[in-house]
Amino acid sequence: MRYLIVLLMTGLFTANSAMAQESILIYPGAIPGSKPVPSDYKELSETGKDGIIRVSKVSVPTLKVFLPSKDKATGAAVIICPGGGYGILAINHEGDHVAKRFNDIGVAAFVLKYRLPDDAIMVDKSFGPLQDAEQAIYLVRKDAAKYNIDPAKIGIMGFSAGGHLASTLTVHYKDVKVENKEGLSLRPDFSVLIYPVISLLESPHTGSAKNLTGPDATYAQKEYFSNERHVDAETPVTFLVHANDDQSVPVENSISFNRAMVKAGNKAELHLYQAGGHGFGLNNKTTQDQWFDRLVNWMKANKII
């Protein structure tokens, strides 16, 4: 009987922990750069046979909050941008699952369900995702005390096209495209880029580029979003992971960003796996090595945790 009570209490605690994960609207009012959303424009969520939940047609961006237990909390936080070629968001595979791993090491995590570029709902679709990333870090930094977070230890993370978004904020955080009355810094304190799209000019992922800027993008647009070209001495410390046999997003994307970081005299760490392809999420099945363990070591070395 006592054992049964313990089991019930454990289940209740787990359920309450799950319920504690709130999703918040990142804009309190009008969404910047938005158009009236057509009545037939509905957000879609589909679960594939691979178990990945793919979300599309996002018109209302949100942050899903994952907080570590108070006894584990380090004060560090990360905003996670799932990938999907700027066409969908692999919201659990490269979002929720990763957030829970961060909670295990005492890091607060916020999964960003950002708007996907679409002329139907945006004045300039190429800047919609960046606006959402800026607003996300603005909110997390503004409400740092509420979440028991150190405002000087807030990072950005992204996978694939989400890695492009994360790296765009990493280098363009001064190009403020959201309301920021308090004048808070939108600079991430660290950046984590997993098999990221980096450049629209060199070894680009054509699908992500087309979805972000359209088929007739100008050179100026491609140059702005070729993020390796905008690394400078103030670019935050960065951790990168890629597989050499990635046939979707060439490994040169991560290499070029790492090279730019080194040239600028910045701290960066790049882990290249001989295999793994693209989109492996937390688990590269071709190796026993866990890149998340390497990330933990890097975060400790840089005094993030």
Side-chain angles (χ1 to χ4, degrees):
M1 184 66 178
R2 184 179 178 184
Y3 179 69
L4 178 60
I5 291 172
V6 170
L7 279 177
L8 289 172
M9 290 181 67
T10 302
L12 181 61
F13 177 79
T14 303
N16 286 338
S17 297
M19 289 172 63
Q21 293 163 2
E22 61 173 335
S23 287
I24 58 175
L25 300 176
I26 68 171
Y27 297 104
I31 299 173
S34 64
K35 295 179 181 178
V37 178
S39 59
D40 60 346
Y41 198 94
K42 305 294 183 182
E43 183 175 308
L44 300 175
S45 180
E46 300 177 328
T47 303
K49 293 180 180 179
D50 53 7
I52 297 176
I53 301 173
R54 295 171 173 85
V55 177
S56 60
K57 293 196 172 182
V58 178
S59 61
V60 180
T62 62
L63 275 178
K64 190 173 182 180
V65 184
F66 293 79
L67 299 180
S69 59
K70 290 184 178 180
D71 62 312
K72 285 186 177 181
T74 62
V78 63
I79 297 163
I80 304 170
C81 305
Y86 283 125
I88 59 96
L89 300 177
I91 203 74
N92 62 340
H93 180 61
E94 296 170 346
D96 294 3
H97 296 169
V98 183
K100 292 172 183 176
R101 284 292 296 274
F102 274 111
N103 283 180
D104 289 342
I105 63 168
V107 176
F110 300 79
V111 177
L112 177 59
K113 185 169 70 175
Y114 54 93
R115 288 172 294 160
L116 297 160
D118 194 332
D119 291 325
I121 61 169
M122 300 174 186
V123 176
D124 184 341
K125 69 176 185 176
S126 66
F127 284 118
L130 177 58
Q131 288 172 325
D132 294 350
E134 289 184 348
Q135 181 70 8
I137 197 166
Y138 164 80
L139 275 185
V140 173
R141 187 157 279 144
K142 181 171 73 73
D143 293 336
K146 172 183 175 181
Y147 297 116
N148 193 29
I149 289 169
D150 182 342
K153 290 186 177 181
I154 300 172
I156 190 77
M157 178 185 202
F159 295 75
S160 194
H164 183 263
L165 175 54
S167 65
T168 302
L169 179 65
T170 298
V171 299
H172 286 305
Y173 59 88
K174 292 180 182 178
D175 187 8
V176 180
K177 298 183 179 297
V178 295
E179 187 175 11
N180 184 4
K181 292 180 180 178
E182 299 86 350
L184 297 176
S185 171
L186 304 184
R187 178 185 182 273
D189 297 298
F190 61 95
S191 184
V192 180
L193 309 176
I194 312 300
Y195 42 82
V197 175
I198 293 293
S199 184
L200 301 195
L201 287 171
E202 299 176 20
S203 303
H205 178 244
T206 54
S208 295
K210 183 178 179 180
N211 285 337
L212 181 65
T213 57
D216 301 316
T218 64
Y219 180 83
Q221 285 179 303
K222 293 178 181 179
E223 199 277 336
Y224 180 95
F225 288 111
S226 292
N227 296 323
E228 80 284 2
R229 297 185 171 215
H230 302 283
V231 170
D232 61 25
E234 297 179 33
T235 303
V237 293
T238 301
F239 179 91
L240 303 104
V241 172
H242 223 116
N244 277 324
D245 66 346
D246 191 329
Q247 299 300 307
S248 296
V249 177
V251 68
E252 284 77 13
N253 281 267
S254 285
I255 292 172
S256 67
F257 197 87
N258 184 71
R259 184 185 300 118
M261 291 288 286
V262 173
K263 185 176 181 181
N266 292 336
K267 294 180 180 179
E269 185 164 314
L270 169 60
H271 289 266
L272 296 181
Y273 290 99
Q274 67 177 5
H278 188 74
F280 47 77
L282 283 169
N283 185 25
N284 181 346
K285 295 179 181 179
T286 71
T287 175
Q288 293 184 9
D289 188 72
Q290 296 293 312
W291 64 260
F292 197 87
D293 293 341
R294 310 285 78 74
L295 172 60
V296 172
N297 292 339
W298 175 83
M299 293 178 77
K300 289 178 179 177
N302 285 280
K303 296 180 171 56
I304 298 167
I305 58 175

